[in-house]
Amino acid sequence: MSSHTDSNSHYADTTPQPDTLQPEAPPQGTTSQRQPLEDPARQSLLNVRNEVGKAVVGQDATVTGMLIALLCGGHVLLEGVPGVAKTLLVRALSTALSLDTKRVQFTPDLMPGDVTGSLVYDSHTSEFTFREGPVFTNIMLADEINRTPPKTQASLLEAMEERQVSVDGVSRPLPSPFIVAATQNPVEYEGTYPLPEAQLDRFLLKLTMPLPGRAEEIEVIRRHAAGFDPRNLSAAGVRPVAGAVELSNAQAAVEQVAVAPEILAYIVDVVRATRSAPSFQLGVSPRGATALLKTSKAWAWLSGRSFVTPDDVKALSLPCLRHRVGLRPEAQMDGIVVDDVLGSILASVPVPR
């Protein structure tokens, strides 16, 4: 891939780090067609990042990924070892956005009705009434989703795809916004039920939450030594700085982000390359291509631009596509990693000028 950059082009041929999503400053020479620097909706979302940072250390890329999911109305699969603040991140994000959140611990004995809700007999009225399950919220934290049987996992499919729950033939709409933030442990697979491809494809992003670096871990310990209580976010200074209205305005602004025909073609070329990669037995579906388009627009908007560049597509390719592909058994035996294959694809697909 050439490193040549055309000074007359909007697109710089550089490869970003896909899992370090940090909103950049708007480009110099902002015109009336580009996103203004002082966009209130964008600023409110950036303020959310700062509020979450009061409680969560060293996970800025994951926070940005969660914001992108909310902007796109999509769901997130969070992968990380226990103790990297997955639950705390969701709670802090919902507090900063004034959104309701509920947590469900997925276990082998969890039933579908425990998630979606069920009909309960009322002895006073001698009738059955519907009791809402924890899915009736704005951000549902599905903790260790791969520890529950497929029947319960499947109970989320309608909620994730249709934003509704059907019980006894009656469809009940879920609140808006609604996203599922599901977590899974990447190192402990005993007694788990891997998510089927059909359900994995419903997640907009798969975000990995790494262990913090030394300096970040020192900061975590320093906060706890100073009395930080993860169960008391208000004492940590986390305050609501945006709400459903600001989020709706931001979503409308993201819809206005322009995508040039050559960028659309680039997204398709990247996706189609996954289907012919020798290491993959399963490539990305057209749903994955539309997901990459949506998230690239959201990332461009968060970065202060009103148009999508190839770098936006590259930045979101790994979190958007890594869970939509499947390695061949022989590739797994050779120790090949999905992210490395996707990185090779991004390096080989021609970048539009």
Side-chain angles (χ1 to χ4, degrees):
M1 182 173 64
S2 172
S3 60
H4 171 70
T5 301
D6 185 354
S7 61
N8 295 323
S9 171
H10 288 312
Y11 311 129
D13 188 5
T14 58
T15 303
Q17 298 299 315
D19 275 338
T20 55
L21 298 175
Q22 305 289 346
E24 61 196 53
Q28 297 295 321
T30 301
T31 66
S32 59
Q33 285 75 30
R34 298 183 182 179
Q35 197 72 22
L37 178 61
E38 299 297 333
D39 186 325
R42 175 176 176 265
Q43 189 58 51
S44 66
L45 269 292
L46 296 181
N47 290 340
V48 169
R49 284 171 44 91
N50 297 332
E51 289 299 308
V52 175
K54 295 178 180 178
V56 180
V57 178
Q59 299 292 350
D60 289 347
T62 307
V63 176
T64 302
M66 290 290 294
L67 289 177
I68 289 174
L70 283 165
L71 287 171
C72 299
H75 311 288
V76 178
L77 187 60
L78 298 172
E79 188 171 270
V81 299
V84 291
K86 296 187 290 291
T87 302
L88 179 61
L89 184 149
V90 172
R91 290 180 54 240
L93 182 66
S94 62
T95 298
L97 278 167
S98 304
L99 298 178
D100 182 48
T101 183
K102 291 185 174 70
R103 176 180 177 272
V104 180
Q105 183 66 48
F106 278 66
T107 57
D109 60 348
L110 191 72
M111 300 298 291
D114 297 331
V115 178
T116 61
S118 57
L119 295 175
V120 178
Y121 182 73
D122 189 337
S123 58
H124 297 289
T125 62
S126 299
E127 294 180 350
F128 285 93
T129 58
F130 179 70
R131 179 177 296 172
E132 293 183 349
V135 75
F136 285 85
T137 187
N138 297 125
I139 304 178
M140 176 183 169
L141 177 61
D143 211 357
E144 295 188 294
I145 190 174
N146 58 335
R147 291 203 174 277
T148 201
K151 182 177 181 180
T152 305
Q153 291 177 2
S155 67
L156 274 177
L157 281 176
E158 182 187 14
M160 293 172 67
E161 189 67 22
E162 306 294 337
R163 266 57 175 186
Q164 66 177 23
V165 167
S166 297
V167 177
D168 197 32
V170 178
S171 297
R172 296 173 171 85
L174 296 175
S176 180
F178 168 75
I179 71 167
V180 172
T183 72
Q184 61 180 14
N185 186 340
V187 296
E188 187 180 358
Y189 293 105
E190 183 177 352
T192 62
Y193 304 84
L195 295 176
E197 283 76 10
Q199 187 157 6
L200 283 172
D201 206 31
R202 260 67 176 189
F203 286 97
L204 183 74
L205 299 171
K206 179 181 178 181
L207 304 174
T208 57
M209 296 186 66
L211 290 168
R214 182 176 183 274
E216 294 164 339
E217 196 161 3
I218 289 175
E219 175 62 18
V220 171
I221 299 301
R222 187 197 66 77
R223 293 188 183 188
H224 280 266
F228 172 73
D229 183 359
R231 290 171 292 274
N232 188 356
L233 293 179
S234 60
V238 180
R239 298 287 186 269
V241 293
V245 173
E246 288 80 6
L247 183 58
S248 178
N249 292 339
Q251 290 172 337
V254 169
E255 288 294 323
Q256 301 304 313
V257 173
V259 187
E262 55 267 28
I263 299 296
L264 294 176
Y266 179 58
I267 291 174
V268 170
D269 289 342
V270 169
V271 168
R272 290 179 66 85
T274 66
R275 301 170 193 165
S276 57
S279 299
F280 289 156
Q281 65 179 356
L282 175 69
V284 178
S285 70
R287 181 189 282 124
T290 60
L292 185 53
L293 169 64
K294 292 177 182 178
T295 54
S296 297
K297 291 175 65 173
W299 174 231
W301 180 80
L302 271 178
S303 298
R305 280 177 280 102
S306 59
F307 56 90
V308 175
T309 72
D311 283 350
D312 298 324
V313 177
K314 291 180 182 180
L316 271 300
S317 289
L318 263 62
C320 195
L321 304 181
R322 56 164 62 109
H323 57 294
R324 305 176 192 271
V325 297
L327 283 172
R328 295 186 184 276
E330 54 269 29
Q332 294 178 347
M333 294 177 62
D334 291 339
I336 294 176
V337 180
V338 166
D339 283 9
D340 291 342
V341 180
L342 290 174
S344 298
I345 289 173
L346 290 173
S348 63
V349 175
V351 179
R353 299 289 179 212

